[in-house]
Amino acid sequence: MKLIIQIPCYNEEETLSETINDIPEKIDGIDEIEILVVNDGSTDTTTQVARELKVNYIVEFPKNLGLARAFDAGLKNCVKYGADIIVNLDADNQYCAEDIPKLIKPLLENKADIVIGARPIEKIKNFSPVKKILQKLGSYVMKKISGADILDAPSGFRAFSRYAAKRINIFDNYTYTMESIIQAQRKGLSIVSVPIRVNENDFARPSRLIKNNFQYIFRSAKTMIRFFIIYHPFRFFASLAAFFFILGFGIGLRFLYFYFLGDGAGHIQSLILCGLLITVSFQTALLAIIADLMGINRKLIEDVQIKVQNIKNGK
């Protein structure tokens, strides 16, 4: 059983060494432990530090492409290098690497395809009260959208089976945390959460992904809506079609009411608006069907992609 720990990095020369040194050298049930560093266009000595630490693999981007792209490249390369289990670990040493055995245990016992480490949000001193509320709210909304019982949706400390990693495709350029959860549920992958610890002393560095709470709310809301449209296209467009139809039908009833009272001529604009809304409803319903067909086509393409990966990797 081979475990590869992937570490996306962007200018992490100060914390990378401590992060890697905290990784356990032996884990029960694991025969090989390897480390893969994804250098996301760092302008410091991150790559040099990784080489000095003698990590097994280094993936380098010529420029900064963002955390989501680094995470996706890490997954694909871990599969390429024969990983049976993949752990994603942030390079800022936020997460306690000593909890990796606890994180991968459900995978070793075949009880899950993906495991997400749940941080003790309430006990993290470096999180402001507002951030704690936003973290909980984000997890609650994600739980409602995806149907997955996730305690800490934004957590980047997660483990994937090889089977799951081959089926995750990240499209978003901002973050992978929410999209991977929605994808997993849509593809029938089981997800569980396990409690993990954080390193409080190494938690003070400001987030490079989120500049302020307003940006976090705006981008998270936009991302969730986008993912809902991508992965639930029929439901989204069918709901819009139903809304326009009900609105148009109601306005049409209003026109008929006045028409039978003998005042129809004075409400002809209601009849026009009724026709317009019902037409829009019909067109939106057609979009729902087309979007559903496109979703089926995407699933077929993903199946082909997995088969191509298997041929390339010899598995």
Side-chain angles (χ1 to χ4, degrees):
M1 185 70 69
K2 183 176 183 178
L3 166 66
I4 297 183
I5 300 165
Q6 67 172 49
I7 308 176
C9 298
Y10 178 60
N11 293 338
E12 303 288 3
E13 62 180 4
E14 295 181 1
T15 57
L16 182 59
S17 177
E18 188 174 5
T19 300
I20 292 177
N21 289 332
D22 286 347
I23 295 173
E25 295 183 0
K26 294 182 179 180
I27 299 175
D28 290 341
I30 299 297
D31 302 309
E32 297 179 73
I33 300 176
E34 295 183 338
I35 299 172
L36 180 145
V37 167
V38 182
N39 181 16
D40 185 18
S42 298
T43 55
D44 63 1
T45 61
T46 293
T47 297
Q48 181 179 338
V49 171
R51 290 194 179 114
E52 290 174 354
L53 292 169
K54 297 180 180 180
V55 302
N56 302 89
Y57 314 103
I58 298 176
V59 177
E60 293 208 57
F61 291 169
K63 63 179 181 179
N64 180 246
L65 300 180
L67 180 59
R69 299 270 66 81
F71 169 83
D72 189 54
L75 278 190
K76 287 180 169 55
N77 277 278
C78 286
V79 170
K80 173 184 174 183
Y81 295 130
D84 297 298
I85 295 177
I86 301 164
V87 167
N88 185 76
L89 181 64
D90 287 356
D92 60 2
N93 204 37
Q94 171 189 157
Y95 304 105
C96 184
E98 293 178 356
D99 284 341
I100 289 177
K102 184 192 299 185
L103 189 73
I104 67 173
K105 185 178 179 181
L107 299 182
L108 291 173
E109 295 176 349
N110 294 317
K111 293 181 178 179
D113 298 302
I114 299 173
V115 184
I116 300 178
R119 296 165 292 181
I121 301 296
E122 285 295 335
K123 297 180 181 178
I124 299 177
K125 297 177 182 179
N126 291 305
F127 276 5
S128 67
V130 174
K131 187 169 184 178
K132 290 179 181 179
I133 293 173
L134 291 176
Q135 291 280 337
K136 288 186 175 181
L137 180 60
S139 296
Y140 174 79
V141 174
M142 180 54 57
K143 179 178 178 179
K144 291 298 181 182
I145 292 177
S146 67
D149 188 13
I150 305 301
L151 301 177
D152 187 6
S155 173
F157 192 30
R158 16 183 107 188
F160 298 80
S161 67
R162 180 179 181 85
Y163 178 83
K166 290 164 68 174
R167 283 156 179 78
I168 297 296
N169 292 292
I170 302 300
F171 302 109
D172 191 61
N173 290 322
Y174 175 57
T175 178
Y176 63 87
T177 55
M178 292 180 284
E179 182 177 6
S180 58
I181 293 172
I182 295 176
Q183 272 198 40
Q185 285 298 105
R186 290 287 292 170
K187 295 175 181 178
L189 302 174
S190 60
I191 310 174
V192 299
S193 294
V194 298
I196 52 96
R197 296 168 294 171
V198 296
N199 297 315
E200 285 282 356
N201 294 333
D202 301 299
F203 217 126
R205 193 198 74 183
S207 171
R208 292 172 180 165
L209 194 64
I210 303 168
K211 294 181 180 179
N212 53 63
N213 290 330
F214 176 78
Q215 185 197 56
Y216 174 77
I217 295 172
F218 175 76
R219 299 197 71 166
S220 295
K222 183 177 72 173
T223 300
M224 287 180 184
I225 293 171
R226 180 170 177 250
F227 292 161
F228 185 80
I229 295 173
I230 291 175
Y231 298 110
H232 301 277
F234 184 82
R235 188 189 305 178
F236 176 79
F237 288 109
S239 298
L240 279 181
F243 171 77
F244 287 125
F245 180 81
I246 292 171
L247 187 60
F249 186 74
I251 293 174
L253 290 178
R254 179 179 180 274
F255 170 78
L256 290 176
Y257 171 78
F258 286 107
Y259 177 80
F260 286 115
L261 288 179
D263 192 25
H267 296 275
I268 195 69
Q269 64 271 23
S270 294
L271 180 62
I272 296 173
L273 182 58
C274 168
L276 178 63
L277 288 172
I278 291 178
T279 300
V280 171
S281 171
F282 177 74
Q283 292 175 333
T284 308
L286 290 178
L287 280 177
I289 296 172
I290 294 172
D292 192 47
L293 293 174
M294 291 177 67
I296 294 172
N297 187 56
R298 185 184 69 245
K299 291 177 183 177
L300 294 173
I301 292 175
E302 288 178 342
D303 289 341
V304 172
Q305 180 188 41
I306 292 171
K307 291 179 180 178
V308 171
Q309 285 181 359
N310 290 338
I311 294 173
K312 286 184 177 180
N313 298 329
K315 290 187 178 182

